[in-house]
Amino acid sequence: MNCTRAGLSLPSHLISSVLLNSTELKTPSSLSPDRLAELSHLLPSLGVTFLQGVTPSQLLAALPALASVSFSPAQASIIVDKMSSITTLTASGQLQTLGSLIVGMKTETLLALTSDRLLSSLPAMAQPIAGLSQPQVNAISTKLWGFPEVVNWLDDVEPLLFWTPLLSVLPRTRQLVDNINTASTKPWNTQQAKAIFKALLDTDPDLIEQHFLSLGTVGQGVSCTVLQQHFRADSSPSSVRRVLAFLRQQPGPLHTSLKRCVINELYQFEFFFELLKDLGAEIALSIPVSTIKKFPTDMMDTLRKTIVSDPHQFLLLSRTKQELLVDKMVQRMGMYTGVFTEEEFRSLGIMAPFVADEVFLQLDRSFFIDNVDFLQGLCYSRSKMDIVARILPEPAAFGPVSNWNRTTLSQVGRFLFFLPVDKLQEIPLALMTVGRIEKLFMSQHRWERGDVGIHCSDENERQKFFEKQQFVLQFFLGFLKIYPLSPAVMVPTCEILHTTAPSVWTSSSLLSMSPSAFSNCLELLGHDPFLASYQRSQVLKKVKQIYGPVSSFSQSVISQLGGIAIALSPEELSSLRLAERSSIAALGAVRAWSNRQLSVLFTTVLNSTKQSVSQLDSSTLVAMGYIVCGAKTTEMNYLNAVEFSKAVLWLGQLRLSCSEEQLLALVGLLTHRLAFGPISSWGTAVFIEIGVLAAGLPDMAMSALVNEQIEGIAPAAVSMIPAAKFFVVFHQRQISMFSYEQAAEVTDEQLSALSDVQRTALAMVLTPWEDRPVDFRGKSLGLALSYSSLCLILGLLMLLLPCPALICPGT
């Protein structure tokens, strides 16, 4: 119980033996409220079947203890529904007592609350805010920001502020300006800060120039023009340092355009190199590698220290940037020759595994052996994983894999998953017990959820790693039947699925689980991104055996299904009752639907909620997620423009599968006079807010975009623009305004459609970071690759001309 309270993950055999075999837990309704309260931190491990057996009165009596426990949404929903059957949880003072259980409150219930009830409960929501669903956050924030008095409630609404739609904040910006002393202390997102900053500028331009540093958190919304004016009005080192200190204190990440503006402006100053230590890691890492490579050794060392002291910013860079930056640093610091020593490795901190492969190969083996625990916490690319796998069985390291023992496996830890399949098979079978395998998985999961792991690998790398994990479990537990004396194939418990993952097990083993164990793990199964289509189909059969036909599935079951629902036929999808936002959101979060399924789901939502297209509110649209693309273009035109505009903060984060015509229709909604108005009036803030939907801008509007607007376009939106459209709408001068992140998202198909002049513009955006006229993404830039320096200069001149009048020699 103490381990669980401390948030530690427990091996499944402990949970099984201590909890599931406990006689007192066989009959949940027999537990006293005091005992239930004492066991509160263990209840999530007991699952939904246990909670369904507890009476409402037991739960209500134990509520003070339950309110501090992290239940899954499905579990919290069961508890809240049970208690709601005997008391009015929405009564005055009751909501505050729910604590973390607020995640189980229906969005529909929250929307029905009065503003004062919602306000009084918000302080209690501050802690579990990360657990609230997107529809819940949208429902609460849009409702409260509908009241003019909200500007006086900023302390109360602060927990939800970052995820409050821009359209809700825009009508209140003048009031926020009047209340700027309070507003300047709140954690706004970038687009909100820009809107408030613009309102300030419109109210009193001189105020900003004179009191820019007093704007607090609104400062992240400063425009490049104002920042330039501020720097030029007082360009003394002390003044510049005050501005940099001010920017470093902003609550959220600074926008790419702002960081680029700072670097471009400061680079003109003679004392730029003296400012490096004042930039902070976030802004310093925006300096192009073409500039960084000119740093003398002492400046490079300052940059190194800056990054090591704030490693999070380095992890947010693209892999290309990470490797190029470290390569220049290692060259300047003379690490390319001899052994890669412990001192050198530690001096690079989080950057150490990003050195060139030939440097990493020279890693001091004694340092490697003595510090395996430390090394396991770092981030490794595919090639570095292969090098680690080569080091592990060396005589100077752990020796041949076939000679490894229990101690070796404990030391190697998650590095075992780096080994190739042929080496894995050399590990003595007797060593790889269920407990050992489980510990390996738990070690990997801890790393993945940590500060480094969460930002380390891309989707492709995660897929490859999953395949390795799946092989380890299935090979050593006898599922692959390679050895005639393999032990009998085990049936997983729900507990071991939590410590490993459902997808690494075979379909037959999952189907062999008892109904109660399977039910307890349905939510986990539904959220497993690596379940194969055949596994989903098999699992769905088991769900039907337990819960009956699809048409009888409860909202709770549907909300737990998640990705399993992809296996449902269009006919079955149409029979679902998607009456609540929780069940809609569970399916709306799934990306892999076919167009036919999306169309059926959209209709099913309308039929289940008994709403017309025009009646859908923002929280329902947020819940629909990818399902929005199931609407016909004609239906999209009937969506409520204001409600849709309040949902784009979430929908804009998804790589929607909408057609070009559908995206065009959705953008049309955003241009409504009560939404964001005509596209020509949109600034950076609106483009940041709408995310990928910017890909749906009409051709004429896209070809007329100015720098301020292009700065706000999400990189993902760039990749979603059809190639033929991309070629037509983006003039080379507009392409030259792209950030590196935007340019790096240009697809092969888009690239092949570009003219030579457009390719030159794209290459020139990429080269300041990639340090050569080459696209390191492995995509051919055609003729642009062979351009000489003279030709790149001519290319730059072309960008200044109204049309491509210069032709590069030899093309």
Side-chain angles (χ1 to χ4, degrees), residues 314-345:
F314 177 81
L315 290 169
L316 297 179
L317 297 178
S318 68
R319 183 61 56 82
T320 299
K321 282 189 173 186
Q322 289 170 332
E323 292 177 347
L324 279 164
L325 172 65
V326 176
D327 184 54
K328 296 302 172 191
M329 192 172 290
V330 167
Q331 282 183 37
R332 177 68 71 222
M333 298 173 72
M335 294 184 191
Y336 257 105
T337 56
V339 175
F340 187 21
T341 65
E342 174 176 359
E343 183 183 359
E344 291 172 330
F345 191 100

PDB file of all heavy atoms in Angstrom, residues 314-345:
ATOM      1  N   PHE A 314      16.766  20.932 -25.706  1.00  0.00           N
ATOM      2  CA  PHE A 314      17.494  20.161 -26.718  1.00  0.00           C
ATOM      3  C   PHE A 314      16.642  18.996 -27.208  1.00  0.00           C
ATOM      4  O   PHE A 314      16.633  18.675 -28.405  1.00  0.00           O
ATOM      5  CB  PHE A 314      18.806  19.643 -26.124  1.00  0.00           C
ATOM      6  CG  PHE A 314      19.606  18.771 -27.064  1.00  0.00           C
ATOM      7  CD1 PHE A 314      20.399  19.326 -28.045  1.00  0.00           C
ATOM      8  CD2 PHE A 314      19.546  17.384 -26.959  1.00  0.00           C
ATOM      9  CE1 PHE A 314      21.126  18.520 -28.923  1.00  0.00           C
ATOM     10  CE2 PHE A 314      20.271  16.567 -27.824  1.00  0.00           C
ATOM     11  CZ  PHE A 314      21.064  17.140 -28.810  1.00  0.00           C
ATOM     12  N   LEU A 315      15.924  18.357 -26.307  1.00  0.00           N
ATOM     13  CA  LEU A 315      15.101  17.209 -26.676  1.00  0.00           C
ATOM     14  C   LEU A 315      13.954  17.588 -27.605  1.00  0.00           C
ATOM     15  O   LEU A 315      13.422  16.738 -28.325  1.00  0.00           O
ATOM     16  CB  LEU A 315      14.541  16.532 -25.416  1.00  0.00           C
ATOM     17  CG  LEU A 315      15.569  15.796 -24.547  1.00  0.00           C
ATOM     18  CD1 LEU A 315      14.958  15.415 -23.213  1.00  0.00           C
ATOM     19  CD2 LEU A 315      16.100  14.557 -25.272  1.00  0.00           C
ATOM     20  N   LEU A 316      13.566  18.859 -27.594  1.00  0.00           N
ATOM     21  CA  LEU A 316      12.459  19.304 -28.443  1.00  0.00           C
ATOM     22  C   LEU A 316      12.893  19.560 -29.888  1.00  0.00           C
ATOM     23  O   LEU A 316      12.046  19.714 -30.768  1.00  0.00           O
ATOM     24  CB  LEU A 316      11.843  20.589 -27.869  1.00  0.00           C
ATOM     25  CG  LEU A 316      11.193  20.460 -26.484  1.00  0.00           C
ATOM     26  CD1 LEU A 316      10.660  21.815 -26.036  1.00  0.00           C
ATOM     27  CD2 LEU A 316      10.081  19.428 -26.492  1.00  0.00           C
ATOM     28  N   LEU A 317      14.200  19.598 -30.142  1.00  0.00           N
ATOM     29  CA  LEU A 317      14.703  19.810 -31.509  1.00  0.00           C
ATOM     30  C   LEU A 317      14.444  18.592 -32.372  1.00  0.00           C
ATOM     31  O   LEU A 317      14.282  17.476 -31.872  1.00  0.00           O
ATOM     32  CB  LEU A 317      16.208  20.091 -31.490  1.00  0.00           C
ATOM     33  CG  LEU A 317      16.709  21.346 -30.786  1.00  0.00           C
ATOM     34  CD1 LEU A 317      18.237  21.381 -30.843  1.00  0.00           C
ATOM     35  CD2 LEU A 317      16.133  22.602 -31.431  1.00  0.00           C
ATOM     36  N   SER A 318      14.444  18.794 -33.679  1.00  0.00           N
ATOM     37  CA  SER A 318      14.352  17.657 -34.599  1.00  0.00           C
ATOM     38  C   SER A 318      15.649  16.863 -34.526  1.00  0.00           C
ATOM     39  O   SER A 318      16.694  17.389 -34.118  1.00  0.00           O
ATOM     40  CB  SER A 318      14.136  18.148 -36.037  1.00  0.00           C
ATOM     41  OG  SER A 318      15.300  18.815 -36.501  1.00  0.00           O
ATOM     42  N   ARG A 319      15.599  15.603 -34.916  1.00  0.00           N
ATOM     43  CA  ARG A 319      16.786  14.748 -34.859  1.00  0.00           C
ATOM     44  C   ARG A 319      17.921  15.331 -35.707  1.00  0.00           C
ATOM     45  O   ARG A 319      19.097  15.299 -35.315  1.00  0.00           O
ATOM     46  CB  ARG A 319      16.416  13.332 -35.338  1.00  0.00           C
ATOM     47  CG  ARG A 319      17.520  12.295 -35.262  1.00  0.00           C
ATOM     48  CD  ARG A 319      18.026  12.063 -33.857  1.00  0.00           C
ATOM     49  NE  ARG A 319      17.012  11.686 -32.891  1.00  0.00           N
ATOM     50  CZ  ARG A 319      16.543  10.446 -32.722  1.00  0.00           C
ATOM     51  NH1 ARG A 319      16.983   9.460 -33.465  1.00  0.00           N
ATOM     52  NH2 ARG A 319      15.634  10.195 -31.797  1.00  0.00           N
ATOM     53  N   THR A 320      17.581  15.881 -36.873  1.00  0.00           N
ATOM     54  CA  THR A 320      18.607  16.485 -37.737  1.00  0.00           C
ATOM     55  C   THR A 320      19.334  17.607 -37.021  1.00  0.00           C
ATOM     56  O   THR A 320      20.570  17.677 -37.017  1.00  0.00           O
ATOM     57  CB  THR A 320      17.962  17.035 -39.029  1.00  0.00           C
ATOM     58  OG1 THR A 320      17.345  15.964 -39.741  1.00  0.00           O
ATOM     59  CG2 THR A 320      18.998  17.701 -39.918  1.00  0.00           C
ATOM     60  N   LYS A 321      18.581  18.492 -36.384  1.00  0.00           N
ATOM     61  CA  LYS A 321      19.187  19.611 -35.661  1.00  0.00           C
ATOM     62  C   LYS A 321      20.054  19.111 -34.510  1.00  0.00           C
ATOM     63  O   LYS A 321      21.160  19.617 -34.277  1.00  0.00           O
ATOM     64  CB  LYS A 321      18.097  20.540 -35.119  1.00  0.00           C
ATOM     65  CG  LYS A 321      17.480  21.472 -36.144  1.00  0.00           C
ATOM     66  CD  LYS A 321      16.590  22.488 -35.440  1.00  0.00           C
ATOM     67  CE  LYS A 321      16.095  23.551 -36.408  1.00  0.00           C
ATOM     68  NZ  LYS A 321      15.345  24.619 -35.718  1.00  0.00           N
ATOM     69  N   GLN A 322      19.558  18.127 -33.788  1.00  0.00           N
ATOM     70  CA  GLN A 322      20.302  17.596 -32.645  1.00  0.00           C
ATOM     71  C   GLN A 322      21.672  17.074 -33.081  1.00  0.00           C
ATOM     72  O   GLN A 322      22.705  17.411 -32.496  1.00  0.00           O
ATOM     73  CB  GLN A 322      19.504  16.467 -31.974  1.00  0.00           C
ATOM     74  CG  GLN A 322      18.270  16.941 -31.226  1.00  0.00           C
ATOM     75  CD  GLN A 322      17.377  15.790 -30.787  1.00  0.00           C
ATOM     76  OE1 GLN A 322      17.346  14.729 -31.415  1.00  0.00           O
ATOM     77  NE2 GLN A 322      16.633  15.989 -29.713  1.00  0.00           N
ATOM     78  N   GLU A 323      21.672  16.265 -34.127  1.00  0.00           N
ATOM     79  CA  GLU A 323      22.918  15.624 -34.557  1.00  0.00           C
ATOM     80  C   GLU A 323      23.898  16.627 -35.156  1.00  0.00           C
ATOM     81  O   GLU A 323      25.103  16.549 -34.905  1.00  0.00           O
ATOM     82  CB  GLU A 323      22.602  14.496 -35.539  1.00  0.00           C
ATOM     83  CG  GLU A 323      21.874  13.332 -34.854  1.00  0.00           C
ATOM     84  CD  GLU A 323      21.474  12.221 -35.822  1.00  0.00           C
ATOM     85  OE1 GLU A 323      21.531  12.455 -37.044  1.00  0.00           O
ATOM     86  OE2 GLU A 323      21.100  11.133 -35.339  1.00  0.00           O
ATOM     87  N   LEU A 324      23.380  17.589 -35.936  1.00  0.00           N
ATOM     88  CA  LEU A 324      24.265  18.582 -36.542  1.00  0.00           C
ATOM     89  C   LEU A 324      24.876  19.500 -35.492  1.00  0.00           C
ATOM     90  O   LEU A 324      26.062  19.827 -35.544  1.00  0.00           O
ATOM     91  CB  LEU A 324      23.493  19.414 -37.565  1.00  0.00           C
ATOM     92  CG  LEU A 324      23.324  18.761 -38.940  1.00  0.00           C
ATOM     93  CD1 LEU A 324      22.249  19.467 -39.735  1.00  0.00           C
ATOM     94  CD2 LEU A 324      24.636  18.785 -39.699  1.00  0.00           C
ATOM     95  N   LEU A 325      24.065  19.921 -34.535  1.00  0.00           N
ATOM     96  CA  LEU A 325      24.546  20.795 -33.470  1.00  0.00           C
ATOM     97  C   LEU A 325      25.655  20.111 -32.673  1.00  0.00           C
ATOM     98  O   LEU A 325      26.727  20.691 -32.440  1.00  0.00           O
ATOM     99  CB  LEU A 325      23.391  21.163 -32.540  1.00  0.00           C
ATOM    100  CG  LEU A 325      23.759  21.920 -31.264  1.00  0.00           C
ATOM    101  CD1 LEU A 325      24.312  23.292 -31.609  1.00  0.00           C
ATOM    102  CD2 LEU A 325      22.555  22.058 -30.343  1.00  0.00           C
ATOM    103  N   VAL A 326      25.407  18.868 -32.269  1.00  0.00           N
ATOM    104  CA  VAL A 326      26.396  18.142 -31.475  1.00  0.00           C
ATOM    105  C   VAL A 326      27.658  17.870 -32.301  1.00  0.00           C
ATOM    106  O   VAL A 326      28.773  17.938 -31.786  1.00  0.00           O
ATOM    107  CB  VAL A 326      25.795  16.831 -30.927  1.00  0.00           C
ATOM    108  CG1 VAL A 326      26.845  16.012 -30.185  1.00  0.00           C
ATOM    109  CG2 VAL A 326      24.619  17.133 -30.000  1.00  0.00           C
ATOM    110  N   ASP A 327      27.480  17.614 -33.580  1.00  0.00           N
ATOM    111  CA  ASP A 327      28.630  17.366 -34.452  1.00  0.00           C
ATOM    112  C   ASP A 327      29.554  18.582 -34.472  1.00  0.00           C
ATOM    113  O   ASP A 327      30.783  18.452 -34.338  1.00  0.00           O
ATOM    114  CB  ASP A 327      28.135  17.045 -35.868  1.00  0.00           C
ATOM    115  CG  ASP A 327      29.277  16.680 -36.804  1.00  0.00           C
ATOM    116  OD1 ASP A 327      30.038  15.763 -36.457  1.00  0.00           O
ATOM    117  OD2 ASP A 327      29.403  17.312 -37.861  1.00  0.00           O
ATOM    118  N   LYS A 328      28.986  19.782 -34.609  1.00  0.00           N
ATOM    119  CA  LYS A 328      29.798  21.003 -34.626  1.00  0.00           C
ATOM    120  C   LYS A 328      30.457  21.229 -33.263  1.00  0.00           C
ATOM    121  O   LYS A 328      31.610  21.654 -33.175  1.00  0.00           O
ATOM    122  CB  LYS A 328      28.931  22.213 -34.991  1.00  0.00           C
ATOM    123  CG  LYS A 328      28.347  22.162 -36.392  1.00  0.00           C
ATOM    124  CD  LYS A 328      29.425  22.037 -37.444  1.00  0.00           C
ATOM    125  CE  LYS A 328      28.848  21.796 -38.822  1.00  0.00           C
ATOM    126  NZ  LYS A 328      29.898  21.423 -39.796  1.00  0.00           N
ATOM    127  N   MET A 329      29.720  20.934 -32.201  1.00  0.00           N
ATOM    128  CA  MET A 329      30.250  21.123 -30.857  1.00  0.00           C
ATOM    129  C   MET A 329      31.427  20.182 -30.597  1.00  0.00           C
ATOM    130  O   MET A 329      32.461  20.588 -30.060  1.00  0.00           O
ATOM    131  CB  MET A 329      29.122  20.873 -29.837  1.00  0.00           C
ATOM    132  CG  MET A 329      29.449  21.316 -28.427  1.00  0.00           C
ATOM    133  SD  MET A 329      27.993  21.201 -27.357  1.00  0.00           S
ATOM    134  CE  MET A 329      26.979  22.524 -27.996  1.00  0.00           C
ATOM    135  N   VAL A 330      31.269  18.933 -30.991  1.00  0.00           N
ATOM    136  CA  VAL A 330      32.316  17.926 -30.774  1.00  0.00           C
ATOM    137  C   VAL A 330      33.558  18.264 -31.591  1.00  0.00           C
ATOM    138  O   VAL A 330      34.695  18.111 -31.127  1.00  0.00           O
ATOM    139  CB  VAL A 330      31.778  16.520 -31.128  1.00  0.00           C
ATOM    140  CG1 VAL A 330      32.905  15.507 -31.225  1.00  0.00           C
ATOM    141  CG2 VAL A 330      30.764  16.071 -30.080  1.00  0.00           C
ATOM    142  N   GLN A 331      33.343  18.740 -32.811  1.00  0.00           N
ATOM    143  CA  GLN A 331      34.485  19.145 -33.644  1.00  0.00           C
ATOM    144  C   GLN A 331      35.262  20.271 -32.975  1.00  0.00           C
ATOM    145  O   GLN A 331      36.489  20.226 -32.877  1.00  0.00           O
ATOM    146  CB  GLN A 331      33.982  19.611 -35.018  1.00  0.00           C
ATOM    147  CG  GLN A 331      33.602  18.500 -35.967  1.00  0.00           C
ATOM    148  CD  GLN A 331      33.194  19.049 -37.324  1.00  0.00           C
ATOM    149  OE1 GLN A 331      33.771  20.023 -37.808  1.00  0.00           O
ATOM    150  NE2 GLN A 331      32.194  18.439 -37.932  1.00  0.00           N
ATOM    151  N   ARG A 332      34.543  21.287 -32.513  1.00  0.00           N
ATOM    152  CA  ARG A 332      35.192  22.440 -31.911  1.00  0.00           C
ATOM    153  C   ARG A 332      35.909  22.055 -30.609  1.00  0.00           C
ATOM    154  O   ARG A 332      36.959  22.601 -30.277  1.00  0.00           O
ATOM    155  CB  ARG A 332      34.160  23.535 -31.620  1.00  0.00           C
ATOM    156  CG  ARG A 332      34.690  24.765 -30.917  1.00  0.00           C
ATOM    157  CD  ARG A 332      35.647  25.574 -31.797  1.00  0.00           C
ATOM    158  NE  ARG A 332      34.951  26.248 -32.865  1.00  0.00           N
ATOM    159  CZ  ARG A 332      35.393  26.327 -34.125  1.00  0.00           C
ATOM    160  NH1 ARG A 332      36.538  25.754 -34.453  1.00  0.00           N
ATOM    161  NH2 ARG A 332      34.716  26.959 -35.052  1.00  0.00           N
ATOM    162  N   MET A 333      35.375  21.067 -29.891  1.00  0.00           N
ATOM    163  CA  MET A 333      35.950  20.673 -28.610  1.00  0.00           C
ATOM    164  C   MET A 333      36.969  19.539 -28.757  1.00  0.00           C
ATOM    165  O   MET A 333      37.455  18.995 -27.764  1.00  0.00           O
ATOM    166  CB  MET A 333      34.837  20.268 -27.635  1.00  0.00           C
ATOM    167  CG  MET A 333      33.881  21.440 -27.334  1.00  0.00           C
ATOM    168  SD  MET A 333      32.450  20.977 -26.352  1.00  0.00           S
ATOM    169  CE  MET A 333      33.219  20.725 -24.766  1.00  0.00           C
ATOM    170  N   GLY A 334      37.250  19.160 -30.011  1.00  0.00           N
ATOM    171  CA  GLY A 334      38.319  18.201 -30.282  1.00  0.00           C
ATOM    172  C   GLY A 334      38.066  16.796 -29.765  1.00  0.00           C
ATOM    173  O   GLY A 334      38.985  16.134 -29.273  1.00  0.00           O
ATOM    174  N   MET A 335      36.850  16.317 -29.890  1.00  0.00           N
ATOM    175  CA  MET A 335      36.527  14.972 -29.389  1.00  0.00           C
ATOM    176  C   MET A 335      36.536  13.910 -30.483  1.00  0.00           C
ATOM    177  O   MET A 335      36.088  12.792 -30.262  1.00  0.00           O
ATOM    178  CB  MET A 335      35.132  14.979 -28.729  1.00  0.00           C
ATOM    179  CG  MET A 335      35.026  15.816 -27.480  1.00  0.00           C
ATOM    180  SD  MET A 335      33.374  15.640 -26.750  1.00  0.00           S
ATOM    181  CE  MET A 335      33.404  16.952 -25.532  1.00  0.00           C
ATOM    182  N   TYR A 336      36.999  14.266 -31.672  1.00  0.00           N
ATOM    183  CA  TYR A 336      36.914  13.320 -32.776  1.00  0.00           C
ATOM    184  C   TYR A 336      38.059  12.302 -32.797  1.00  0.00           C
ATOM    185  O   TYR A 336      38.075  11.406 -33.621  1.00  0.00           O
ATOM    186  CB  TYR A 336      36.853  14.065 -34.121  1.00  0.00           C
ATOM    187  CG  TYR A 336      35.460  14.100 -34.686  1.00  0.00           C
ATOM    188  CD1 TYR A 336      34.702  15.265 -34.649  1.00  0.00           C
ATOM    189  CD2 TYR A 336      34.878  12.964 -35.240  1.00  0.00           C
ATOM    190  CE1 TYR A 336      33.409  15.311 -35.156  1.00  0.00           C
ATOM    191  CE2 TYR A 336      33.593  12.994 -35.746  1.00  0.00           C
ATOM    192  CZ  TYR A 336      32.864  14.164 -35.705  1.00  0.00           C
ATOM    193  OH  TYR A 336      31.579  14.183 -36.212  1.00  0.00           O
ATOM    194  N   THR A 337      39.011  12.478 -31.916  1.00  0.00           N
ATOM    195  CA  THR A 337      40.139  11.539 -31.923  1.00  0.00           C
ATOM    196  C   THR A 337      40.269  10.849 -30.578  1.00  0.00           C
ATOM    197  O   THR A 337      39.969  11.423 -29.529  1.00  0.00           O
ATOM    198  CB  THR A 337      41.454  12.293 -32.215  1.00  0.00           C
ATOM    199  OG1 THR A 337      41.620  13.339 -31.250  1.00  0.00           O
ATOM    200  CG2 THR A 337      41.437  12.896 -33.612  1.00  0.00           C
ATOM    201  N   GLY A 338      40.697   9.599 -30.617  1.00  0.00           N
ATOM    202  CA  GLY A 338      40.947   8.861 -29.386  1.00  0.00           C
ATOM    203  C   GLY A 338      39.675   8.380 -28.711  1.00  0.00           C
ATOM    204  O   GLY A 338      38.580   8.412 -29.275  1.00  0.00           O
ATOM    205  N   VAL A 339      39.850   7.943 -27.474  1.00  0.00           N
ATOM    206  CA  VAL A 339      38.740   7.386 -26.694  1.00  0.00           C
ATOM    207  C   VAL A 339      37.741   8.484 -26.327  1.00  0.00           C
ATOM    208  O   VAL A 339      38.125   9.608 -26.005  1.00  0.00           O
ATOM    209  CB  VAL A 339      39.291   6.719 -25.406  1.00  0.00           C
ATOM    210  CG1 VAL A 339      38.152   6.247 -24.513  1.00  0.00           C
ATOM    211  CG2 VAL A 339      40.216   5.573 -25.759  1.00  0.00           C
ATOM    212  N   PHE A 340      36.462   8.145 -26.405  1.00  0.00           N
ATOM    213  CA  PHE A 340      35.393   9.042 -25.964  1.00  0.00           C
ATOM    214  C   PHE A 340      35.282   8.840 -24.451  1.00  0.00           C
ATOM    215  O   PHE A 340      34.685   7.908 -23.959  1.00  0.00           O
ATOM    216  CB  PHE A 340      34.081   8.666 -26.667  1.00  0.00           C
ATOM    217  CG  PHE A 340      32.927   9.606 -26.432  1.00  0.00           C
ATOM    218  CD1 PHE A 340      33.119  10.921 -26.017  1.00  0.00           C
ATOM    219  CD2 PHE A 340      31.617   9.182 -26.638  1.00  0.00           C
ATOM    220  CE1 PHE A 340      32.058  11.779 -25.804  1.00  0.00           C
ATOM    221  CE2 PHE A 340      30.541  10.031 -26.433  1.00  0.00           C
ATOM    222  CZ  PHE A 340      30.758  11.331 -26.022  1.00  0.00           C
ATOM    223  N   THR A 341      35.928   9.744 -23.706  1.00  0.00           N
ATOM    224  CA  THR A 341      36.127   9.528 -22.274  1.00  0.00           C
ATOM    225  C   THR A 341      34.890   9.856 -21.444  1.00  0.00           C
ATOM    226  O   THR A 341      33.960  10.517 -21.913  1.00  0.00           O
ATOM    227  CB  THR A 341      37.286  10.402 -21.756  1.00  0.00           C
ATOM    228  OG1 THR A 341      36.890  11.786 -21.880  1.00  0.00           O
ATOM    229  CG2 THR A 341      38.558  10.159 -22.547  1.00  0.00           C
ATOM    230  N   GLU A 342      34.923   9.426 -20.188  1.00  0.00           N
ATOM    231  CA  GLU A 342      33.838   9.732 -19.255  1.00  0.00           C
ATOM    232  C   GLU A 342      33.686  11.242 -19.090  1.00  0.00           C
ATOM    233  O   GLU A 342      32.572  11.767 -19.073  1.00  0.00           O
ATOM    234  CB  GLU A 342      34.095   9.090 -17.893  1.00  0.00           C
ATOM    235  CG  GLU A 342      33.069   9.488 -16.829  1.00  0.00           C
ATOM    236  CD  GLU A 342      33.265   8.783 -15.498  1.00  0.00           C
ATOM    237  OE1 GLU A 342      34.192   7.953 -15.388  1.00  0.00           O
ATOM    238  OE2 GLU A 342      32.487   9.076 -14.577  1.00  0.00           O
ATOM    239  N   GLU A 343      34.808  11.939 -18.970  1.00  0.00           N
ATOM    240  CA  GLU A 343      34.764  13.385 -18.782  1.00  0.00           C
ATOM    241  C   GLU A 343      34.081  14.063 -19.960  1.00  0.00           C
ATOM    242  O   GLU A 343      33.245  14.957 -19.793  1.00  0.00           O
ATOM    243  CB  GLU A 343      36.187  13.934 -18.608  1.00  0.00           C
ATOM    244  CG  GLU A 343      36.218  15.435 -18.330  1.00  0.00           C
ATOM    245  CD  GLU A 343      37.643  15.972 -18.245  1.00  0.00           C
ATOM    246  OE1 GLU A 343      38.607  15.178 -18.379  1.00  0.00           O
ATOM    247  OE2 GLU A 343      37.791  17.193 -18.058  1.00  0.00           O
ATOM    248  N   GLU A 344      34.445  13.639 -21.182  1.00  0.00           N
ATOM    249  CA  GLU A 344      33.840  14.216 -22.384  1.00  0.00           C
ATOM    250  C   GLU A 344      32.344  13.888 -22.444  1.00  0.00           C
ATOM    251  O   GLU A 344      31.517  14.739 -22.760  1.00  0.00           O
ATOM    252  CB  GLU A 344      34.553  13.687 -23.629  1.00  0.00           C
ATOM    253  CG  GLU A 344      35.981  14.201 -23.774  1.00  0.00           C
ATOM    254  CD  GLU A 344      36.730  13.514 -24.901  1.00  0.00           C
ATOM    255  OE1 GLU A 344      36.425  12.325 -25.196  1.00  0.00           O
ATOM    256  OE2 GLU A 344      37.623  14.147 -25.479  1.00  0.00           O
ATOM    257  N   PHE A 345      32.015  12.631 -22.156  1.00  0.00           N
ATOM    258  CA  PHE A 345      30.625  12.184 -22.213  1.00  0.00           C
ATOM    259  C   PHE A 345      29.768  12.998 -21.240  1.00  0.00           C
ATOM    260  O   PHE A 345      28.743  13.555 -21.609  1.00  0.00           O
ATOM    261  CB  PHE A 345      30.535  10.693 -21.875  1.00  0.00           C
ATOM    262  CG  PHE A 345      29.192  10.075 -22.169  1.00  0.00           C
ATOM    263  CD1 PHE A 345      28.999   9.343 -23.325  1.00  0.00           C
ATOM    264  CD2 PHE A 345      28.111  10.220 -21.299  1.00  0.00           C
ATOM    265  CE1 PHE A 345      27.758   8.762 -23.604  1.00  0.00           C
ATOM    266  CE2 PHE A 345      26.878   9.663 -21.561  1.00  0.00           C
ATOM    267  CZ  PHE A 345      26.703   8.924 -22.721  1.00  0.00           C
TER     268      PHE A 345
END
